[in-house]
Amino acid sequence: MNRAVVVGAGVLGACVAYHLARAGVEVVVLEEAGPASGTSGATFAADVTHLKTPHTYYRLNRQGSDGHRALADELDGPDWRHPAPLVQWADSDEAQRSLRERADRVREWGHDCRTAPASVLRELAPAVDPAACAVGEIVVHDATAWFDAPRLVHALLDAAVRRHGAETHYGTRVTGLRRAADGTGIVGVEAGDRSWGADAVVNCAGPAADQIAALAGQRLPLRHVPGLVAETGPPAEGPLTAILSAPGIDLRPTADGGVLALSWEVDARLNGAGHDGLAAELHRRASTVVPGLGASRIADARIGVRPVPLDGLPLVGEAATAPGLYHLVSHSAVTLAPVLGRLAARELTSGRQAEELGAYRPGRAVADGDVQDENLRAMNHRGSNPQPKV
C-alpha cells in the first residue's frame, strides 16, 4: 500500500496516521474541524482497563495502556501520560461486594490492584474529605494513569508530519467516497470540490464514523452517547493526587493542578439543548468529595459525543461490501489508541489480518443490548436513562 487517507484527527486517527507514515505510506489526514476538536478533546481519559471484559478485551486494553509508554519513548516530546493511583469505593454493601469481586477477578488476570482500609485515602489523596468515604474499605489500582488526549494527538500528528511527511488538512469535511471504475471498492475521498486518491481510506471519524460508512452504503452498529466533563481550578488545600471513582462522581487531576469531573448519573440528564446547570451539579458533587474545590470556579465545561458500538467493543477493519474502507471506532479510544493504531497500520501495510483484532470486525453480528464490555454495563447501570440510538 502506498497511499492512505485518514478521516478524523482524534486519538485514533492521529495514532494510525503516525504508524502508517512511519511505515513509509503517503498519508493525508482530513479533519472537519481541528486536531482533538471532537470527543478526544472532551473526554475523562483515565485508564479503566480494570473494568474491561471479556478477558481478551481486557488484554487488548492492557496492551493499549502499556503502549502509551512505548509511544512516549518513540516521540520523545511533551508527556501526555500522568501516572496516578485510581481509588474506588461504593455507597452500599452490594456495590462494595461487586468492587471486591472485580478486584479479585483482575488480580487473577495479573492486574495490579489491592483492597485497603479507607484510612489509606489520607495518604493517596489528602485533598479528599475522609467523611466522603462512608465505607471501611477501598480498592486501589496502583499502576494507572490519566491521559492528556489533546497533547497526545498533537504529538502524534507533529511526528507524522515533521518526521514522516504526512499531510494534514483541517476544516475539511469529507462529503463523498470515490469508488473504483468497476464499483468494487473505495479508492479515495471527496471533500467539496477537492478529492484525494488512496489505496485505503481509514474511517476514524468518531461519532461521525457512521456517516462516513453511510457514504459507502454501510451501517455501523453505533450509538451516540453524550458526556459532560467540567474542569475546575486547583483545590484550596492542595492538589488532587489520585484518580477517584466515588459514588456519583469521578474525578482526576489536570495538567495545571485543577480537577476534571465526570458523572454518568449527570450524563443521563443531558439532552440536545446543552448542559445548563449540569456543570454546576458536577462542581457540587466534586466539592463534597474534595472540599477545597468549594472556593474554585468552573474553568471549562464541554460535551463530547462518545461513539459507542452496541456491544461496547471496538469496530476495526474492512467490511466486505466496501473494500478499501477501513473502520477504526472505539468507545475507549484514548486507552486503546496505541495498540489499535499500531495493529491497524500493520494490517493495512501487510495485507494480513492481526489475530488480536479478530473479535472486533465491523461485520460481526451485534444484537441490541448484547453488551460485552463491563465498563459500558456499569455506565448504563449508573445512568438513569438508556443510551440514545443513532
Side-chain angles (χ1 to χ4, degrees):
M1 185 182 69
N2 298 314
R3 299 175 300 168
V5 171
V6 177
V7 182
V11 286
L12 288 177
C15 206
V16 75
Y18 166 73
H19 283 290
L20 285 170
R22 187 171 178 262
V25 177
E26 295 179 14
V27 176
V28 174
V29 179
L30 305 180
E31 165 59 46
E32 183 172 1
S37 58
T39 308
S40 295
T43 177
F44 193 72
D47 182 356
V48 290
T49 297
H50 61 279
L51 281 176
K52 299 302 182 178
T53 55
H55 184 221
T56 51
Y57 188 45
Y58 166 85
R59 291 205 314 267
L60 188 72
N61 277 267
R62 183 79 277 140
Q63 287 182 268
S65 178
D66 294 342
H68 279 277
R69 298 184 182 90
L71 266 183
D73 291 340
E74 284 182 30
L75 298 179
D76 191 28
D79 195 6
W80 62 85
R81 182 182 181 275
H82 299 270
L86 187 152
V87 182
Q88 298 174 289
W89 70 90
D91 56 359
S92 70
D93 291 342
E94 180 182 358
Q96 280 288 107
R97 186 162 51 251
S98 294
L99 282 181
R100 286 194 296 272
E101 289 172 355
R102 283 200 298 271
D104 291 341
R105 181 190 67 209
V106 294
R107 270 199 300 268
E108 291 180 0
W109 291 353
H111 194 80
D112 185 5
C113 74
R114 57 192 167 97
T115 56
S119 58
V120 171
L121 257 177
R122 294 188 180 92
E123 303 168 17
L124 297 175
V128 172
D129 181 0
C133 181
V135 293
E137 184 181 76
I138 59 176
V139 175
V140 181
H141 303 265
D142 290 298
T144 52
W146 61 270
F147 307 106
D148 187 332
R151 178 168 284 194
L152 169 60
V153 169
H154 283 279
L156 287 164
L157 292 174
D158 184 66
V161 171
R162 293 179 181 272
R163 298 184 190 179
H164 306 296
E167 295 180 23
T168 53
H169 297 269
Y170 303 127
T172 304
R173 179 174 177 268
V174 171
T175 55
L177 298 175
R178 292 168 50 187
R179 283 196 176 267
D182 60 4
T184 57
I186 303 301
V187 295
V189 303
E190 298 171 350
D193 58 358
R194 299 194 64 183
S195 66
W196 288 266
D199 300 309
V201 174
V202 190
N203 178 13
C204 301
D210 55 341
Q211 299 173 32
I212 300 300
L215 294 174
Q218 296 184 336
R219 177 185 175 274
L220 290 181
L222 284 180
R223 290 176 172 176
H224 292 175
V225 183
L228 173 67
V229 291
E231 184 175 341
T232 72
E237 283 85 8
L240 180 62
T241 52
I243 306 163
L244 306 179
S245 180
I249 190 72
D250 292 333
L251 304 171
R252 71 155 171 84
T254 64
D256 61 359
V259 173
L260 192 71
L262 164 78
S263 169
W264 289 337
E265 294 174 3
V266 171
D267 283 351
R269 293 155 54 188
L270 286 169
N271 55 50
H275 55 73
D276 288 350
L278 295 181
E281 172 66 11
L282 284 178
H283 186 250
R284 184 193 67 77
R285 290 179 181 228
S287 299
T288 63
V289 177
V290 181
L293 293 176
S296 70
R297 295 185 178 181
I298 299 172
D300 188 26
R302 50 202 182 275
I303 293 176
V305 179
R306 310 176 184 108
V308 181
L310 295 184
D311 59 2
L313 305 180
L315 299 167
V316 186
E318 287 184 343
T321 57
L325 178 60
Y326 188 103
H327 302 295
L328 191 54
V329 187
S330 176
H331 171 215
S332 296
V334 177
T335 299
L336 287 171
V339 63
L340 291 184
R342 175 176 56 82
L343 292 176
R346 191 175 79 192
E347 286 195 333
L348 288 162
T349 54
S350 71
R352 297 189 300 272
Q353 292 192 340
E355 182 180 350
E356 299 98 317
L357 299 178
Y360 310 115
R361 302 305 179 191
R364 68 182 183 267
V366 179
D368 192 7
D370 184 20
V371 178
Q372 303 296 309
D373 177 14
E374 185 173 288
N375 187 39
L376 182 57
R377 289 202 298 266
M379 183 172 72
N380 292 343
H381 175 71
R382 287 166 66 179
S384 59
N385 295 328
Q387 300 172 70
K389 290 186 179 180
V390 174

